[in-house]
Amino acid sequence: MLGLCDCNNFFVSCERVFNPSLEGRPVVVLSNNDGCVVSRSNEAKALGIKMGQPLYQIRDLVKRENVAVHSANYHLYGDMSHRVMTMLKENVEYIEIYSIDEAFLWFGGIPCEQLKEFGEKLARTIRKGTGIPVSIGISHTKTLAKIASKLCKKYPKLNSCCLMQRDEEIAKVLSTYPISDIWGIGRRHSKMLEGCYIRTAAQFYALSEEWIRNRMNINGVRTWRELHGTPCIEFNHQIADKQTITVSRSFAKELYEFDDIHETISTFASLAAEKLRQQHSLTRMLQVFILTNRHRDDRPQHYEGAAVHFPVPTDSSLEIVKAATTLLRKIYRKGYGYKKTGVTLGDISSATIIQGELFDTIDRPKHRMLMEAIDKINATQGHEAVRLVSQGSISDHSNRQYLSPQYTTKWEDIPLVKV
C-alpha cells in the first residue's frame, strides 16, 4: 500500500506555528512582490478568496473581514518542509518527496489492518513535532492515495488519515469525485471529458482502455489504470538530480541601472551554484536573461539572453558569477527598465567525473576548498552569511511588505520565550 502525506494549507500553517493568534482567522499568503494569493486558510476560502487572485482585487474584503495577509517567507517554509520530511523518514521505510508540502509514503511491512491507526498516529506525531497539520491518504496506487488525502481535508472525522482499501469503498468515493480533481488529468483533457458528459471519476473509471488511448495520451491510460488499482506511476525514493537549475525573479519596480541588475544576477548565479553543489554536480553551460515589463505598452521593450559553455565543468560560484557578469554586459541596454532577470545552469553532470583541460588556468582544488568553506559557514551561521562582493547589499528588489520573521533560519528572528 502507498500513502500521500499532504500538509494542509502549508504556507498558512507555517505562519500559524509561530503566531497562534492567526488560528481561526482568515489568512492568505501572497506570491513574489505581494502579487497573488498562493495559500489560503479554510476561513479565507469560505470568504470566496480564490487561489491566484490578485491582492488588489480583494483589498476591500481583506479590510472588511480582517484577513491576515503575509508575504511569502520561503526560508521559513523551506525549513519547516525539511522538518516534516525528516519526521516522515524516521517513521516510514521510504518516502518520495513530491513537492515542498507533499510526499508519497511506502508502508512496507505494515499489515493492512493496522494502516489506518498507523496513519492517524503519524499525523499526530508530525503535528506535535512541527506544528503542521497534515492529511494522509492510503490506497493501492499514487492516484488513489491522492484522492484519499483530499478526503481527509474535506472530512475532519477521518482524523487526518483516510484508508481506501476495499473495492466498494473506492467505488463509493469515485462516484462523486469530480473529474477535474483527478491527479494526472489536466485542464485540456478535463474540458474534453466534460464535453463527453464524463464528470466524475466513476464515469472515467467505467470507460474502456481503448477509448482512453484513442482520445488521451499515455498519461491518461496510466491514470485510468491507477484508478483500477494497478500501480503505473513508479515509486522513486531516490531524489533525482536536476538536469537544469534556474533562479529567476520579478521585481517590484523596474531596474534601470546596470549595478542594480548586476547585483541581482550575481546573487542568482551564486544561488544556482550553491544548489549545484548540494546535489554534487557540475555544469558546462550558463545562460543569463533579462526582460522588461511586457504589460507596459507605453515603455520600450527589450528581451535578450546569452549563454556560455565552460571548457571544464564547474561548480565554483567565483567562476559562474564571473561568467554571468560577462554575459550581462553583452545584453544590458541602458535606458530600459528591466522587470525580471534570471540565470540557468545546464549540461549538468556528476562531480565524481571531471574531464579536465590541458591548459586550464583555474586552480580548481583551491576553488573547491573555498566553496566547501563558504557552504559550511552559511549552513551553520545562516543563509548568505558569506557573500561575494559582486552581490552587493542583501536586497532582492522585491516587494514583501507583509513579511513575517524568519523564525527558524535567522538568529535575530528566533522567538523569545518568557518564563
Side-chain angles (χ1 to χ4, degrees):
M1 298 288 280
L2 299 173
L4 175 74
C5 179
D6 187 1
C7 300
N8 301 343
N9 309 322
F10 181 56
F11 293 173
V12 168
S13 295
C14 290
E15 299 289 348
R16 282 176 164 172
V17 169
F18 298 95
N19 188 357
S21 65
L22 297 176
E23 291 288 348
R25 181 181 173 188
V27 184
V28 297
V29 175
L30 305 176
S31 61
N32 287 334
N33 297 315
D34 293 345
C36 304
V37 175
V38 294
S39 183
R40 308 160 294 164
S41 67
N42 291 335
E43 296 81 3
K45 294 175 185 177
L47 293 176
I49 298 176
K50 298 179 176 59
M51 183 68 82
Q53 192 167 9
L55 176 62
Y56 74 86
Q57 291 184 358
I58 59 172
R59 286 195 184 278
D60 292 340
L61 178 63
V62 166
K63 186 176 181 180
R64 184 173 66 251
E65 300 293 341
N66 192 28
V67 178
V69 178
H70 286 271
S71 302
N73 191 341
Y74 292 120
H75 290 304
L76 173 64
Y77 307 154
D79 183 66
M80 295 302 292
S81 172
H82 176 72
R83 296 176 185 219
V84 172
M85 300 306 169
T86 299
M87 294 196 73
L88 288 174
K89 291 177 183 177
E90 293 172 349
N91 286 274
V92 299
E93 187 173 0
Y94 297 115
I95 77 167
E96 177 187 342
I97 299 176
Y98 181 66
S99 67
I100 191 173
D101 62 344
E102 291 178 288
F104 288 103
L105 313 175
W106 179 267
F107 296 109
I110 303 176
C112 290
E113 60 271 16
Q114 298 178 15
L115 283 174
K116 170 65 173 173
E117 181 182 356
F118 180 86
E120 291 178 353
K121 182 180 178 181
L122 180 59
R124 290 195 302 269
T125 300
I126 294 173
R127 182 65 184 268
K128 182 178 180 180
T130 67
I132 303 295
V134 300
S135 296
I136 298 177
I138 304 173
S139 195
H140 304 285
T141 67
K142 285 185 174 181
T143 303
L144 289 174
K146 267 266 191 181
I147 293 175
S149 70
K150 288 190 176 183
L151 292 181
C152 290
K153 298 180 180 182
K154 188 175 181 180
Y155 301 106
K157 290 184 179 180
L158 290 171
N159 292 326
S160 302
C161 179
C162 175
L163 173 62
M164 286 172 40
Q165 180 182 5
R166 294 191 292 270
D167 291 342
E168 56 270 25
E169 294 173 336
I170 296 173
K172 182 178 179 181
V173 171
L174 298 185
S175 66
T176 58
Y177 198 82
I179 189 71
S180 57
D181 288 348
I182 298 177
W183 184 48
I185 295 183
R187 191 173 300 176
R188 182 170 64 87
H189 283 138
S190 176
K191 187 176 180 180
M192 180 272 293
L193 290 167
E194 290 178 355
C196 297
Y197 301 99
I198 301 167
R199 297 187 172 88
T200 67
Q203 291 172 320
F204 182 78
Y205 178 99
L207 296 171
S208 68
E209 182 174 344
E210 183 181 4
W211 192 97
I212 301 291
R213 190 182 299 277
N214 290 337
R215 290 167 177 80
M216 301 174 68
N217 54 28
I218 188 62
N219 290 329
V221 175
R222 288 197 187 105
T223 300
W224 180 85
R225 289 178 178 174
E226 289 247 329
L227 290 179
H228 281 77
T230 302
C232 294
I233 303 175
E234 183 181 359
F235 187 97
N236 186 7
H237 65 276
Q238 305 242 343
I239 300 176
D241 291 340
K242 294 181 179 179
Q243 298 306 303
T244 61
I245 296 175
T246 298
V247 181
S248 65
R249 192 168 301 159
S250 298
F251 311 122
K253 297 179 180 179
E254 287 85 353
L255 300 183
Y256 287 86
E257 299 302 321
F258 176 85
D259 288 344
D260 291 335
I261 301 173
H262 178 222
E263 289 182 2
T264 302
I265 287 293
S266 295
T267 299
F268 290 173
S270 182
L271 287 172
E274 183 180 342
K275 292 182 178 182
L276 191 70
R277 293 192 295 273
Q278 287 174 352
Q279 67 176 37
H280 307 290
S281 298
L282 304 172
T283 181
R284 270 190 178 274
M285 188 276 290
L286 165 69
Q287 181 183 30
V288 173
F289 68 87
I290 53 177
L291 64 152
T292 52
N293 190 346
R294 60 186 177 87
H295 299 292
R296 295 297 302 267
D297 297 332
D298 58 328
R299 295 184 180 178
Q301 299 292 312
H302 179 230
Y303 169 81
E304 194 167 349
V308 64
H309 282 78
F310 298 104
V312 178
T314 181
D315 62 3
S316 170
S317 295
L318 300 179
E319 190 176 1
I320 292 172
V321 169
K322 182 179 180 181
T325 300
T326 301
L327 293 177
L328 178 61
R329 292 189 187 279
K330 290 181 179 179
I331 62 179
Y332 168 77
R333 299 290 182 272
K334 190 172 180 60
Y336 290 91
Y338 293 100
K339 183 67 174 177
K340 185 176 182 178
T341 66
V343 302
T344 297
L345 301 179
D347 198 357
I348 293 175
S349 59
S350 172
T352 58
I353 304 175
I354 303 176
Q355 178 65 50
E357 188 182 55
L358 181 60
F359 301 104
D360 191 3
T361 59
I362 295 177
D363 188 343
R364 300 198 178 274
K366 188 175 182 179
H367 275 226
R368 192 176 304 113
M369 288 189 292
L370 178 59
M371 293 302 105
E372 289 176 358
I374 291 176
D375 291 342
K376 185 175 182 179
I377 293 172
N378 287 339
T380 56
Q381 300 301 316
H383 182 66
E384 293 189 336
V386 177
R387 297 161 54 89
L388 301 182
V389 173
S390 60
Q391 294 179 243
S393 60
I394 303 178
S395 174
D396 59 6
H397 301 286
S398 62
N399 178 28
R400 295 194 292 174
Q401 64 183 81
Y402 308 104
L403 185 64
S404 57
Q406 297 176 23
Y407 298 104
T408 65
T409 59
K410 201 172 183 180
W411 283 107
E412 53 265 38
D413 287 346
I414 294 178
L416 296 176
V417 178
K418 297 181 180 179
V419 180

